[in-house]
Amino acid sequence: KRQAMDAARTALRLGAAHVAATCLESREKMPASRQEIAAAEREGVEVLPSRTFLEVTGDGRVSGVRAALVNFRGFLPGGQPDMDIVPNSEHHLPADIVIFSIGQAVGLSFIPPDSRIGVTRTRTIDADLRTLATGRPGVFAAGDAVTGTAFVIEAVAAGHRAAESIHRYLQGLPLEPPPRPALP
């Protein structure tokens, strides 16, 4: 939900009088880092966890969102949320503008089941984080496919590490590079 916190903070910086960020997850399980959440709250974002939207309200113009509290357990294999709506918890969140910031996911349907390329519990490619090698020799993965959505610079750095590992693999060298000398 890094994108959601970024969108909320940007809305404040662009002049929104009040911004609330909601998510299905409880505060403890929100997919944004504690630092990102704290920074958003310091800027004035109201964080409203454990909620689902039932309807965007309004008559020609947005007037808000009809929401409810949820007990969210996670996502089912098809991507559908696994949750129970808390009885009698429906409420209205007034709003002039609603911004949906839906998480991205890596499409892994191209990986055949017999490929020996592992998939993690969080639906990313299972790769050694140092060499970026997968369970199949000669196959490497990097960026969002391994880490989930992250900063672009992290994907660039992973691309460099993967290129070094691929180069070592093609030369028949061990994938782990030798330790770098300590610099003064």
Side-chain angles (χ1 to χ4, degrees):
K1 297 288 186 207
R2 182 175 289 148
Q3 298 89 346
M5 290 298 143
D6 287 346
R9 293 171 75 185
T10 299
L12 277 175
R13 292 172 189 169
L14 291 173
H18 178 260
V19 174
T22 67
C23 64
L24 292 170
E25 296 85 2
S26 67
R27 186 172 185 93
E28 297 76 34
K29 294 185 179 178
M30 287 175 63
S33 74
R34 301 278 178 250
Q35 295 87 350
E36 290 168 321
I37 297 166
E41 289 180 321
R42 276 194 306 274
E43 279 193 53
V45 174
E46 181 182 11
V47 177
L48 304 171
S50 302
R51 284 177 171 72
T52 188
F53 288 171
L54 303 172
E55 173 187 32
V56 175
T57 60
D59 187 20
R61 295 184 70 103
V62 171
S63 65
V65 177
R66 193 167 54 91
L69 295 176
V70 294
N71 290 318
F72 177 71
R73 291 177 289 278
F75 289 99
L76 299 171
Q80 292 297 104
D82 182 17
M83 65 184 178
D84 295 317
I85 294 177
V86 175
N88 302 315
S89 67
E90 194 173 306
H91 55 284
H92 187 261
L93 300 171
D96 298 322
I97 298 172
V98 177
I99 301 169
F100 288 96
S101 179
I102 300 169
Q104 302 176 127
V106 178
L108 301 177
S109 60
F110 70 94
I111 300 174
D114 61 347
S115 67
R116 295 193 328 249
I117 298 173
V119 175
T120 68
R121 183 178 61 76
T122 57
R123 304 288 305 147
T124 58
I125 296 174
D126 189 13
D128 180 289
L129 295 180
R130 182 145 165 78
T131 65
L132 298 167
T134 67
R136 183 174 185 162
V139 177
F140 299 82
D144 291 358
V146 173
T147 61
T149 55
F151 293 108
V152 171
I153 194 63
E154 292 172 13
V156 171
H160 285 282
R161 283 197 320 277
E164 289 173 16
S165 292
I166 292 166
H167 185 69
R168 297 183 67 73
Y169 175 81
L170 293 173
Q171 290 181 323
L173 299 171
L175 294 181
E176 281 286 332
R180 292 190 173 161
L183 298 175

